[in-house]
Amino acid sequence: MTIDRAAIDQSAELSDIEKLGLSFDSIDDQACALLGYQRTKQISRKSRKMWEAGNPRPLAREIKERKQDIISGAFLEIYQEYLPLRAALAGEEIKKVCDIGCGQGINDVFLFKDFSPTFTLIDIEQTDNQYHFWSDEGSGYASLASAQALLVANGCKNRMLRRSILTKHHGRRPGMGLTL
Ligand SMILES: C[S@@+](CC[C@H](N)C(=O)[O-])C[C@H]1O[C@@H](n2cnc3c(N)ncnc32)[C@H](O)[C@@H]1O
């Protein structure tokens, strides 16, 4: 599959997200902050830089001012990236999804709406490193509890979900976390 970034960025708009009728109610400020770290296009450069330097307060302030914009922007960005996957899977029966590096589970919400599979959500929730220092060691910044809460708020049953948290010592192969 060839990915054309420019085309992806124009493949959907906010009104398409609104039409899906999703619930964002489970996304508290902390989950929104994680979403901002995972999707840094949605937050200010200042908030990102300060967080990388170990100061989360500017992002906390930004969330107070424009939380729903951050959430909507992240959902749209992820939805645009999801559409080629949906096209590739069209007509398939998808029974199980294992999402490694699932973040806040937003891709999984879209997969749930289209395919209703069971999920194994895998991520590293926290590392000493902040942000994208992953080339040598990886870095984790997710909450599987809030990913699960988002899926459940959007109709997925808890019995369809498993969570596996990788530790920061993830030199071990991610495969160890699988519970399929
Ligand atoms: C850029 S975010 C993307 C999150 C989500 N998949 C999305 O599309 O929005 C990258 C995620 O990968 C996780 N991550 C980084 N290294 C990882 C590893 N070695 N194993 C599992 N998860 C990892 C991070 O904690 C973070 O949640």
Side-chain angles (χ1 to χ4, degrees), residues 27 35 74-75 78-79 102-111 150:
I27 305 174
L35 196 50
F75 271 73
I78 295 168
Y79 186 63
C102 63
Q104 298 311 97
I106 295 170
N107 268 297
D108 306 295
V109 169
F110 298 136
L111 283 163
L150 179 70

Side-chain angles (χ1 to χ4, degrees), residues 88-109:
L89 297 178
E92 302 286 340
E93 190 183 2
I94 308 299
K95 291 186 176 168
K96 294 182 177 180
V97 166
C98 174
D99 188 348
I100 301 173
C102 63
Q104 298 311 97
I106 295 170
N107 268 297
D108 306 295
V109 169

Side-chain angles (χ1 to χ4, degrees), residues 22-105:
L22 302 175
S23 169
F24 308 115
D25 293 349
S26 66
I27 305 174
D28 61 18
D29 286 4
Q30 184 57 31
C32 183
L34 291 168
L35 196 50
Y37 303 152
Q38 291 158 13
R39 293 286 167 172
T40 49
K41 270 197 328 198
Q42 307 305 327
I43 60 175
S44 68
R45 186 170 186 277
K46 179 182 172 191
S47 292
R48 176 170 65 80
K49 287 286 180 193
M50 294 297 273
W51 176 60
E52 284 174 44
N55 179 0
R57 287 186 296 279
L59 180 56
R61 277 196 294 274
E62 190 177 346
I63 288 169
K64 295 280 177 232
E65 287 163 15
R66 48 180 300 274
K67 179 177 177 183
Q68 189 53 48
D69 285 348
I70 295 170
I71 293 171
S72 300
F75 271 73
L76 176 58
E77 192 184 335
I78 295 168
Y79 186 63
Q80 290 166 338
E81 293 172 5
Y82 167 70
L83 289 176
L85 176 63
R86 182 173 76 173
L89 297 178
E92 302 286 340
E93 190 183 2
I94 308 299
K95 291 186 176 168
K96 294 182 177 180
V97 166
C98 174
D99 188 348
I100 301 173
C102 63
Q104 298 311 97

Side-chain angles (χ1 to χ4, degrees), residues 35 37-39 74 78 81 99-107 122-126 132 134 137-143 166 170 174:
L35 196 50
Y37 303 152
Q38 291 158 13
R39 293 286 167 172
I78 295 168
E81 293 172 5
D99 188 348
I100 301 173
C102 63
Q104 298 311 97
I106 295 170
N107 268 297
I122 298 176
D123 208 303
I124 305 167
E125 294 198 313
Q126 196 168 0
H132 284 167
W134 44 262
E137 302 173 44
S139 63
Y141 36 91
S143 161
L166 299 181
H170 50 273

Side-chain angles (χ1 to χ4, degrees), residues 103-153:
Q104 298 311 97
I106 295 170
N107 268 297
D108 306 295
V109 169
F110 298 136
L111 283 163
F112 172 72
K113 292 287 179 194
D114 285 331
F115 301 99
S116 294
T118 60
F119 292 94
T120 298
L121 305 179
I122 298 176
D123 208 303
I124 305 167
E125 294 198 313
Q126 196 168 0
T127 51
D128 295 336
N129 285 336
Q130 305 267 36
Y131 194 40
H132 284 167
F133 300 113
W134 44 262
S135 57
D136 293 329
E137 302 173 44
S139 63
Y141 36 91
S143 161
L144 293 184
S146 62
Q148 177 169 6
L150 179 70
L151 272 158
V152 169

